[in-house]
Amino acid sequence: MPTLHIINKAPDHPRFPACLRALAEDDTLVLIENAVMALVFESLPLPPCYALRADVNARALSESSVTGVKMIGYAGLVVLTETHQRVMNW
Amino acid sequence: MTRSPALSYTLVISGAPYTSQAPQSALAFAKALISGGHKLDRVFLYGDGVYLASSLVTPPSDEVNWTQLWSEFLMQTRTPAVACIASALRRGILDSAEQTRYEQPASNIAEPFEMAGLGDWVEATMTSSRILYFLPTD
């Protein structure tokens, strides 16, 4: 069963690489809150994932800074929780 | 894409207002899930998240009062909200029953929050379709 992983930790938090390691093939990753700093954290390559637009904008980051990262709003995050029966919050 | 049937959600907030973004993110998500046609079963405050239930929160006038915003939202949507009693008591969040029981000079839980045990959370894990956690960031 694909899992939706939602992470709010900054990329230099130990939970962040732990979350990336836990991602299975069909899983989906969403960056929220401080986790969106990963868009400008070059030492940690990101898999294709989503980032919460409000949190990206709040930190004055560019929405197009990393290819493979799609911007979503809260409505989009709700849709992802609809399509994933399992949600993991990191 | 066909719309999935309505789901029910429990949101657990364990990050405190002003030291984490948890109450803010959870409120935005709560509004979005209701706009999406889903049901918000319950909001559960745990750990430092119980600070959201303090009616004495008094931020400067140019800052957001998260307790007030949450209280208004919960009352408008008639959503039950509970603070974990074990987390709340040790952080100085009391309702009038606990004030009496522990002979404290005041109670301060904000309406419509209530005190409850972890049993409420266990029930939520069995009855809600989805449980989301809004955690501290450190």
Side-chain angles (χ1 to χ4, degrees), chain B residues 15-30:
Chain B
Y18 309 107
T19 52
S20 86
Q21 210 185 314
Q24 178 182 359
S25 300
L27 185 57
F29 187 82

Side-chain angles (χ1 to χ4, degrees), chain B residues 27 30-31 34 40 43 52-53 64-81 110-113:
Chain B
L27 185 57
K31 289 176 176 173
I34 289 173
L40 179 54
V43 175
L52 185 62
V64 177
N65 186 326
W66 291 109
T67 300
Q68 190 185 338
L69 287 189
W70 260 107
S71 289
E72 287 166 5
F73 170 79
L74 294 167
M75 288 196 264
Q76 277 161 14
T77 56
R78 297 173 189 276
T79 304
E111 277 194 293
F113 290 99

Side-chain angles (χ1 to χ4, degrees), chain B residues 58-103:
Chain B
T58 312
S61 58
D62 61 343
E63 284 185 27
V64 177
N65 186 326
W66 291 109
T67 300
Q68 190 185 338
L69 287 189
W70 260 107
S71 289
E72 287 166 5
F73 170 79
L74 294 167
M75 288 196 264
Q76 277 161 14
T77 56
R78 297 173 189 276
T79 304
V82 295
C84 167
I85 190 165
S87 300
L89 288 177
R90 51 169 67 87
R91 288 171 179 79
I93 312 289
L94 280 79
D95 64 7
S96 56
E98 300 306 314
Q99 178 200 347
T100 307
R101 189 200 315 271
Y102 292 100
E103 299 178 353

Side-chain angles (χ1 to χ4, degrees), chain A residues 33 55 59 81-82 84, chain B residues 9 21 25 38 130 133 135:
Chain A
E33 300 182 356
D55 290 331
R59 288 159 183 79
T81 65
E82 290 170 9
H84 292 78
Chain B
Y9 288 74
Q21 210 185 314
S25 300
H38 301 296
R130 300 285 186 277
Y133 295 83
L135 306 169

Side-chain angles (χ1 to χ4, degrees), chain A residues 78 81-82 85 87, chain B residues 4-11 29 33-34 37-42 123-132:
Chain A
V78 170
T81 65
E82 290 170 9
Q85 267 190 46
V87 182
Chain B
S4 57
L7 301 174
S8 63
Y9 288 74
T10 290
L11 304 186
F29 187 82
L33 79 86
I34 289 173
H38 301 296
K39 180 173 183 289
L40 179 54
D41 278 337
R42 187 176 348 220
E123 188 194 316
T125 64
M126 294 187 292
T127 54
S128 288
S129 338
R130 300 285 186 277
I131 303 183
L132 268 77

